[in-house]
Amino acid sequence: SYELTQPPSMSVSPGQTASITCSGDKLRDKYACWYQQKPGQSPVLVIYQDNQRPSGIPERFSGSNSGNTATLTISGTQAMDEADYYCQAWDISTGVFGGGTKLTVL
Amino acid sequence: EVQLVESGGGLVKPGGSLRLSCAASGFTFNSYTMNWVRQAPGKGLEWVSSISFSSTYIFYADSVRGRFTISRDNVKSALYLQMNSLRAEDTAVYYCVGRNPPADYWGQGSLVTVSS
């Protein structure tokens, strides 16, 4: 079965850039999306179709997908960005989530 | 205002059955692919099942295929998940998710606990 791999955790200082990776076999051939989930809340889509930002999502969120790795980049990270982040892609007819990355802003 | 409201969760014994419902409003339900995604306590997200807007295409995760059945009623703007032969590892919050990119709507989730 298809798998997506994310680092379990990472930390970033306020104002710096956070880059969260998501790796999967030939991921470049699939669309990747990214979700943000804060404690006790439902996930929120922050990037879809590799690099598209839904309305209402701040411009500091961006995405890319090349080779076997998709990347979510948060520029000028703010304290409010502290959350769990999940990548997702579709492998034929199966939806697959990465294991999630806990982003700490400190 | 978009709303997805799940119901039907609760405590069930291993081997038992449960039916989740999701009532949708505030968007054109019959234009959206609908999904169930679950999250075990303290764990990550797991995609469970999807159904296309006309119910033509239905897909399941390997972990639930043969035990769970997804369905929808476009007249009632409702999504369902019939869960049979439940196991302890099915314990999770089950989210109802509507997708029509870039639109992506999630409910608040319904907790299903499988325990004796």
Side-chain angles (χ1 to χ4, degrees), chain B:
Chain B
E1 179 192 7
V2 171
Q3 280 197 314
L4 290 170
V5 180
E6 300 94 339
S7 61
L11 176 64
V12 61
K13 289 181 168 56
S17 297
L18 216 52
R19 189 194 196 208
L20 299 182
S21 299
C22 172
S25 61
F27 65 101
T28 309
F29 182 78
N30 59 14
S31 296
Y32 281 65
T33 295
M34 296 302 296
N35 307 263
W36 289 100
V37 174
R38 68 185 181 183
Q39 186 169 35
K43 302 297 184 182
L45 301 173
E46 179 187 13
W47 171 81
V48 173
S49 182
S50 295
I51 184 168
S52 62
F53 59 88
S54 61
S55 302
T56 302
Y57 302 102
I58 290 176
F59 306 115
Y60 298 99
D62 290 344
S63 58
V64 307
R65 187 176 293 112
R67 300 187 298 123
F68 290 11
T69 302
I70 190 172
S71 61
R72 65 189 294 164
D73 185 333
N74 287 342
V75 174
K76 295 182 178 179
S77 294
L79 177 71
Y80 307 100
L81 185 68
Q82 177 66 44
M83 302 184 293
N84 298 330
S85 302
L86 283 161
R87 307 166 180 167
E89 54 264 37
D90 295 319
T91 294
V93 172
Y94 285 73
Y95 293 102
C96 168
V97 183
R99 287 184 175 147
N100 187 357
D104 190 274
Y105 305 132
W106 291 63
Q108 286 304 301
S110 182
L111 177 62
V112 172
T113 303
V114 184
S115 174
S116 55

Side-chain angles (χ1 to χ4, degrees), chain A residues 1 33 35 37 40-45 48-49 54-55 86 88 90 92-99, chain B residues 35 37 39 43-47 50 59-62 65 95 97 99 101-104 106-109:
Chain A
S1 61
C33 64
Y35 289 92
Q37 186 180 32
Q41 298 183 18
S42 301
V44 173
L45 183 69
Y48 69 100
Q49 290 179 3
S55 62
Y86 297 90
Q88 190 198 15
W90 287 87
I92 307 178
S93 58
T94 302
V96 181
F97 282 96
Chain B
N35 307 263
V37 174
Q39 186 169 35
K43 302 297 184 182
L45 301 173
E46 179 187 13
W47 171 81
S50 295
F59 306 115
Y60 298 99
D62 290 344
R65 187 176 293 112
Y95 293 102
V97 183
R99 287 184 175 147
D104 190 274
W106 291 63
Q108 286 304 301

Side-chain angles (χ1 to χ4, degrees), chain A residues 10-76:
Chain A
M10 65 180 300
S11 61
V12 63
S13 300
Q16 298 303 302
T17 297
S19 295
I20 302 173
T21 59
C22 172
S23 299
D25 185 49
K26 297 181 181 178
L27 184 53
R28 66 183 180 278
D29 294 337
K30 313 176 194 302
Y31 275 137
C33 64
W34 290 90
Y35 289 92
Q36 176 194 69
Q37 186 180 32
K38 296 181 178 179
Q41 298 183 18
S42 301
V44 173
L45 183 69
V46 295
I47 293 290
Y48 69 100
Q49 290 179 3
D50 294 339
N51 53 20
Q52 301 299 301
R53 198 173 49 250
S55 62
I57 301 301
E59 290 184 7
R60 63 179 180 274
F61 288 88
S62 63
S64 64
N65 188 2
S66 177
N68 294 326
T69 302
T71 303
L72 172 69
T73 301
I74 309 172
S75 304

